[in-house]
Amino acid sequence: MAATDKPPIPVPGRSGILPSALRLPAAAGVIVFAVAVGTTQLALHVTNQEADRRLAQLGEVYLDGLAASLRAGLEARDAPYVIERMARAFGEQRGVAERTLFAFTPDGALLARHGDPGKPAAMAVALGADAWRLDAASGTAWVSRVVEGTQGPAGRVVAALDVSPILAARRRLAWGIVLLDLLLAGLAALLTWAALQRLGRPLRILVGALSDAAQRPPVPLRDAVIAQADPRSAAVLRAYNSMADAMRERERLTAELAERDQAAALGRLAATIAHEVRNPLGGLATAVSTLRRFGADAAVREESLAFLDRGIGTLDRIVTSTLTLYRAEEDRPLLRSDLEDLAHLARPAAERRGIALGLSLDLPEGEIAPGAGGVRQVLLNLLLNACEATPPGGAVDLRARREEGDLICEIADSGPGLDPAQAQRLTGGGAGTAQRKGLGLGVVVGLLGTLDARASVTERPGGGTTIRLAIPAGGRG
């Protein structure tokens, strides 16, 4: 993935076997189904144990009567008598089908047997006294009883009872219960799934709406959707609608404010261009007047034409830098002649106000600092503002020198002083407001930041203000 690529927005319901909206109802349905089947199987296990206990009791009851009938024969060890009683028991019993009967002496010897010859006597011998065993594979229940005689144990009787019909009925019942349980459990799981689907529908709608809002402006939910939800879910959906309405209103207001800001920026741009272009026009007009009056003098003509050329270049740079949102472009270095031109540019305003304009440059010839356009524009604005603030008969001075690698420029006037808010704005202590009256100051502040310059304002003891600028001569910060 490229460094600028954004990761895809996850879409609900696209991962896994089931969509995320169906996982909770499906899980709940599976749990209900498993619990229902498990409880039924546990009940069947308990029921089978109880049925086995009942079969053991049935065998005990059967042997109660058989032992009483065989007691005399066992005490006398009369095998024919025992066999005859066994045969009679086969015919007299109801509800219990015998397969084989065994009679043993007290020492464990087989005395008599009757019934199915396929049943081995070894099973009866291994059974032990007073025991019970169920052979589900053959459908046989083995039961053993010690017969007590008048002189002690008279022998032992073992019966192999046919319980296959009972076991078959139990299996049929168990399968019926299992099938019915599966049907009921599946129906319960389906009902649980449907109920959770209905209860979770508002949540799914909300999740879908929020997912769509990540890619496009949110759309409020319809009233019919909210009306179908339960009270708590409806409150959540109404809160989402309020959020969606607020976001749409915010987008509308943002667009409207952007349009207003754009219109205001265009207005400020036009006003700033008009203000900054008007500043040097007085000096250029003076140069034109000088050419008309003294144009025959070659030295005056060359000086005036050079001044006009630099002035036109300054106007071009002012317009260009203003159109690039007040960010001055890289231009040629500042020369001493650029600062000398400031006196010519500001002189018309000074003469109109009856103010003495002084210029003191303690600078060498050649390059002084970078950014000639920005420095000239800052100093010209401050000079013209000082002329406007100084009463007739006053004086405005511009002094420039090099100090510790910086270009130090000071503009001193004899006016009433700079407004504290404007002084704070100029020195970087406050943002101020870009009102029409302060367009020149706004340009100065912006250019000072571009030049990485520092400004300070001090009040003169005899009245007036001195603005000191420290402009790095080695390059911009």
Side-chain angles (χ1 to χ4, degrees):
M1 182 180 293
T4 56
D5 292 344
K6 295 182 178 179
I9 298 176
V11 179
R14 296 296 179 87
S15 60
I17 299 177
L18 289 177
S20 58
L22 300 179
R23 291 177 189 169
L24 178 60
V30 170
I31 292 174
V32 170
F33 182 83
V35 169
V37 172
T39 53
T40 301
Q41 294 301 315
L42 179 61
L44 278 176
H45 178 69
V46 174
T47 302
N48 288 336
Q49 286 185 334
E50 180 64 20
D52 291 344
R53 192 175 66 83
R54 295 286 183 181
L55 284 177
Q57 290 179 350
L58 179 63
E60 292 293 334
V61 171
Y62 175 80
L63 288 184
D64 285 343
L66 183 62
S69 176
L70 299 180
R71 180 176 292 111
L74 289 173
E75 286 182 329
R77 298 193 178 184
D78 186 353
Y81 177 83
V82 172
I83 293 175
E84 185 272 333
R85 289 291 181 177
M86 288 182 176
R88 184 180 296 180
F90 263 67
E92 291 179 352
Q93 294 292 341
R94 294 292 183 269
V96 178
E98 305 89 342
R99 286 185 175 177
T100 308
L101 297 177
F102 299 89
F104 295 91
T105 61
D107 56 3
L110 178 63
L111 177 65
R113 64 173 293 166
H114 181 76
D116 185 2
K119 293 296 182 181
M123 178 68 72
V125 173
L127 188 62
D130 297 328
W132 154 265
R133 181 180 300 172
L134 177 62
D135 184 4
S138 62
T140 304
W142 293 83
V143 60
S144 174
R145 167 72 63 81
V146 174
V147 180
E148 296 292 337
T150 56
Q151 302 297 326
R156 186 167 63 92
V157 179
V158 178
L161 305 177
D162 183 12
V163 294
S164 56
I166 298 176
L167 295 180
R170 282 172 53 179
R171 284 193 293 270
R172 289 193 300 270
L173 178 61
W175 277 110
I177 292 176
V178 168
L179 292 178
L180 180 62
D181 176 57
L182 291 176
L183 178 62
L184 294 178
L187 181 60
L190 182 63
L191 292 176
T192 302
W193 179 84
L196 289 179
Q197 273 284 92
R198 180 175 179 81
L199 292 176
R201 183 171 180 268
L203 178 60
R204 295 195 305 276
I205 293 175
L206 180 60
V207 171
L210 291 175
S211 299
D212 292 339
Q215 305 177 11
R216 60 184 65 89
V219 178
L221 301 175
R222 300 190 306 273
D223 293 338
V225 175
I226 299 178
Q228 295 175 358
D230 60 278
R232 292 187 177 181
S233 299
V236 174
L237 297 181
R238 281 193 291 269
Y240 166 78
N241 277 359
S242 299
M243 181 197 71
D245 292 337
M247 292 183 66
R248 291 164 67 90
E249 180 66 15
R250 186 183 67 180
E251 293 293 333
R252 185 188 68 79
L253 292 176
T254 301
E256 183 177 341
L257 288 176
E259 293 179 359
R260 291 184 181 182
D261 287 345
Q262 184 178 15
L266 290 175
R268 289 195 300 270
L269 178 63
T272 302
I273 291 177
H275 179 275
E276 294 304 308
V277 169
R278 186 185 61 182
N279 284 340
L281 287 181
L284 297 180
T286 300
V288 172
S289 177
T290 302
L291 280 175
R292 287 176 178 174
R293 294 170 58 189
F294 307 104
D297 189 335
V300 174
R301 184 171 62 251
E302 289 300 324
E303 181 182 359
S304 299
L305 288 176
F307 177 76
L308 286 173
D309 183 60
R310 291 192 298 271
I312 292 172
T314 300
L315 289 176
D316 178 69
R317 286 188 294 273
I318 289 173
V319 173
T320 301
S321 63
T322 306
L323 288 176
T324 55
L325 298 180
Y326 310 109
R327 186 186 63 189
E329 297 180 340
E330 294 291 339
D331 54 14
R332 63 176 180 82
L334 180 69
L335 304 176
R336 180 187 175 97
S337 58
D338 292 315
L339 298 182
E340 292 172 349
D341 288 344
L342 294 175
H344 299 290
L345 293 172
R347 184 168 289 114
E351 292 176 352
R352 188 170 55 250
R353 296 279 297 173
I355 298 169
L357 183 63
L359 180 65
S360 175
L361 303 178
D362 184 12
L363 296 169
E365 295 293 338
E367 298 181 3
I368 300 174
V375 176
R376 282 168 55 102
Q377 195 173 352
V378 167
L379 295 177
L380 180 58
N381 271 282
L382 294 178
L383 280 174
L384 294 177
N385 287 343
C387 291
E388 289 293 330
T390 301
V396 173
D397 296 317
L398 171 61
R399 298 185 294 270
R401 66 184 184 277
R402 295 289 294 271
E403 185 178 296
E404 296 181 358
D406 290 345
L407 173 63
I408 305 300
C409 299
E410 295 178 344
I411 298 93
D413 62 53
S414 55
L418 191 62
D419 180 81
Q422 292 181 331
Q424 188 178 20
R425 182 182 178 193
L426 182 62
T427 56
T433 56
Q435 299 176 352
R436 179 176 180 137
K437 184 178 180 181
L439 284 173
L441 184 59
V443 173
V444 168
V445 172
L447 290 174
L448 287 177
T450 302
L451 295 169
D452 196 23
R454 305 179 301 278
S456 61
V457 179
T458 57
E459 298 295 331
R460 299 174 63 185
T465 304
T466 298
I467 299 176
R468 183 180 185 273
L469 304 180
I471 304 171
R476 297 180 185 178

